[in-house]
């Protein structure tokens, strides 16, 4: 456990360096981050005619990414925690559809296999999805300007980058607290092992 903790802290240093806007390269394309940021901020709920809903997987990756996104968006936000296994997804769909959010955000959730949910929410407001599970296909999102679906595994030779890593780069803050939150997420996310092996991680002490 001590070795794993040291390796993760080593990797976290490299990620932080890659996101300090000093010319270093982060894990995600800057244009993609800008597109996602504009999409989220422009679609956030006003509180008068709708709200922002963040539905997130109940593990460390999903919970920590939800924190980063709420800090980025601000305003009135409703959270919907989705634990697994033994979760009633049909009940969750009915509940979310009944809320009619102005902006619906799915984090760390493979909702590509629920096209009716995405299409229904997309007709009422904006839908943002970040997922890193296979197979990562979402045909219903094609041709819908109010749906933004991001999944790194659908890109050729891409890694299944954790949701919290994307949300942290999206937020663009590198304070000690945000780094600790990211550390908690990556500590529980086995996909981070692949991140540690990439050349973009710089070996220096946090």
């Amino acid at each position: 456990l001590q070795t794993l903790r040291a390796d993760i802290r080593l990797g976290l240093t490299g990620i932080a360096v890659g996101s300090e806007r000093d010319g270093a390269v982060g894990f995600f394309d800057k244009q993609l981050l800008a597109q996602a940021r504009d999409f989220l901020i422009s679609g956030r709920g006003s509180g008068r005619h709708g709200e922002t809903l963040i539905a997130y997987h109940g593990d460390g990756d999903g919970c920590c990414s939800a924190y980063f996104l709420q800090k980025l968006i601000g305003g009135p936000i409703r959270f919907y925690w989705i634990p697994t296994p033994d979760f009633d997804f049909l009940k969750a769909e009915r509940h979310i559809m009944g809320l009619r959010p102005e902006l619906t955000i799915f984090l760390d959730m493979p909702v590509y296999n629920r096209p009716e949910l995405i299409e229904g929410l997309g007709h009422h407001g904006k839908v943002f999805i970040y997922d890193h599970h296979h197979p990562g296909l979402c045909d219903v999102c094609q041709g819908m300007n109010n749906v933004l679906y991001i999944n790194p595994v659908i890109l050729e030779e891409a890694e299944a980058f954790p949701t919290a890593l994307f949300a942290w780069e999206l937020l663009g803050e590198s304070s000690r607290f945000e780094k600790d939150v990211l550390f908690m997420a990556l500590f529980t996310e086995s996909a981070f092992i692949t991140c540690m092996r990439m050349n973009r991680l710089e070996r220096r002490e946090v």
Side-chain angles (χ1 to χ4, degrees), residues 25-40:
V25 179
F27 284 96
F28 297 93
D29 179 76
K30 290 184 178 180
Q31 291 184 346
L32 176 64
L33 291 172
Q35 179 187 6
R37 194 177 296 112
D38 292 343
F39 183 91
L40 290 166

Side-chain angles (χ1 to χ4, degrees), residues 16-178:
V17 170
S19 300
E20 288 176 349
R21 309 299 184 266
D22 58 357
V25 179
F27 284 96
F28 297 93
D29 179 76
K30 290 184 178 180
Q31 291 184 346
L32 176 64
L33 291 172
Q35 179 187 6
R37 194 177 296 112
D38 292 343
F39 183 91
L40 290 166
I41 294 178
S42 64
R44 59 188 171 188
S46 62
R48 298 188 299 271
H49 307 293
E51 62 183 356
T52 297
L53 173 69
I54 299 181
Y56 59 97
H57 189 203
D59 63 359
D61 188 32
C63 293
C64 293
S65 61
Y67 163 76
F68 291 136
L69 263 293
Q70 67 85 24
K71 188 169 184 181
L72 170 70
I73 297 171
I77 296 177
R78 182 190 296 262
F79 294 94
Y80 195 79
W81 181 57
I82 302 179
T84 52
D86 300 327
F87 183 73
D88 191 340
F89 285 98
L90 292 178
K91 181 179 179 180
E93 284 189 25
R94 292 192 295 268
H95 177 74
I96 292 174
M97 288 294 294
L99 294 175
R100 297 174 63 85
E102 203 168 332
L103 171 63
T104 306
I105 301 172
F106 292 101
L107 298 173
D108 197 22
M109 293 299 302
V111 292
Y112 53 81
N113 59 353
R114 300 182 182 276
E116 297 84 3
L117 173 65
I118 299 174
E119 190 172 7
L121 292 170
H123 285 312
H124 176 71
K126 287 190 171 185
V127 181
F128 177 85
I129 306 165
Y130 183 93
D131 184 43
H132 61 115
H133 299 95
H134 294 273
L137 301 177
C138 189
D139 294 336
V140 72
C141 301
Q142 297 180 2
M144 297 185 67
N145 295 329
N146 53 346
V147 177
L148 180 57
Y149 175 64
I150 300 175
N151 190 326
V153 302
I154 67 178
L155 302 176
E156 185 177 359
E157 299 181 356
E159 300 286 347
F161 294 119
T163 311
L165 178 58
F166 174 81
W168 184 77
E169 283 206 16
L170 196 65
L171 178 62
E173 292 188 14
S174 300
S175 72
R176 179 70 193 197
F177 182 76
E178 272 67 42

